[in-house]
Amino acid sequence: MGKGVLEVHLVDAKGLSGNDFLGKIDPYVIVQYRSQERKSSVARDQGRNPCWNEVFKFQINSAAANAQHKLILRIMDHDNFSSDDFLGEATIDVTDIVSLGAERGTYHLNAAKHNVVLADKTYQGEIKVGITFTATQVQEDGGAIGGWRHSSFNQ
């Protein structure tokens, strides 16, 4: 179904849950696509409304037409003297983005807000992310051409 690069633009979060024993929470996000994980920087002393403005790239190599593509954003609180605390997570189904990107060469979803689900399955806060999928075309000799398709006009 899709071969290419999934870019995730982690913008910010608002209204996160959690209080830290020593003051404000220091949130960061673990962005996961299948077995690939990326970690944002820690938004030190930004509390419940952190801003990251970071971009993460994931390689996608899925030939299955019925494959489900999910992006999981786990929001954590960085602690210096104990293990980091889970603040919540958001799951984004990117199957359509990958499909449309594979069809059109690229597909961009503007930054949108997604609900944050807490450990007890209730909602509190939101996280804002933008997503782009750029297909990689494979030439007959095996070399890759990024992001554009061959057409009769390019011959």
Side-chain angles (χ1 to χ4, degrees):
M1 175 170 116
K3 219 182 170 99
V5 177
L6 186 71
E7 273 186 40
V8 180
H9 180 196
L10 176 63
V11 180
D12 61 19
K14 301 270 189 265
L16 297 177
S17 72
N19 289 312
D20 209 0
F21 176 70
L22 299 173
K24 287 187 175 178
I25 58 174
D26 301 313
Y28 67 92
V29 180
I30 298 169
V31 184
Q32 180 182 354
Y33 174 79
R34 295 192 176 171
S35 63
Q36 302 174 63
E37 277 190 359
R38 309 285 184 271
K39 183 178 165 186
S40 75
S41 61
V42 174
R44 293 217 180 273
D45 296 322
Q46 291 190 34
R48 297 177 49 169
N49 301 305
C51 181
W52 293 281
N53 199 24
E54 296 178 30
V55 176
F56 305 96
K57 294 183 180 186
F58 297 89
Q59 290 296 323
I60 294 184
N61 188 1
S62 175
N66 60 351
Q68 291 295 305
H69 298 275
K70 288 191 189 317
L71 200 58
I72 299 169
L73 303 140
R74 276 195 319 278
I75 306 164
M76 305 293 290
D77 174 25
H78 174 74
D79 290 322
N80 286 325
F81 303 110
S82 62
S83 60
D84 293 354
D85 300 315
F86 174 79
L87 297 177
E89 75 178 20
T91 302
I92 304 169
D93 187 334
V94 294
T95 305
D96 290 344
I97 296 166
V98 173
S99 293
L100 290 166
E103 227 174 77
R104 300 175 184 176
T106 189
Y107 187 80
H108 175 72
L109 183 66
N110 289 331
K113 297 172 184 172
H114 301 273
N115 287 330
V116 174
V117 182
L118 307 180
D120 65 4
K121 303 297 181 210
T122 60
Y123 297 98
Q124 181 170 344
E126 57 196 27
I127 188 165
K128 189 174 181 183
V129 295
I131 303 167
T132 303
F133 179 74
T134 304
T136 304
Q137 298 299 316
V138 179
Q139 294 177 322
E140 288 178 23
D141 64 3
I145 301 170
W148 62 276
R149 293 181 177 269
H150 287 291
S151 71
S152 59
F153 300 110
N154 292 336
Q155 300 294 323

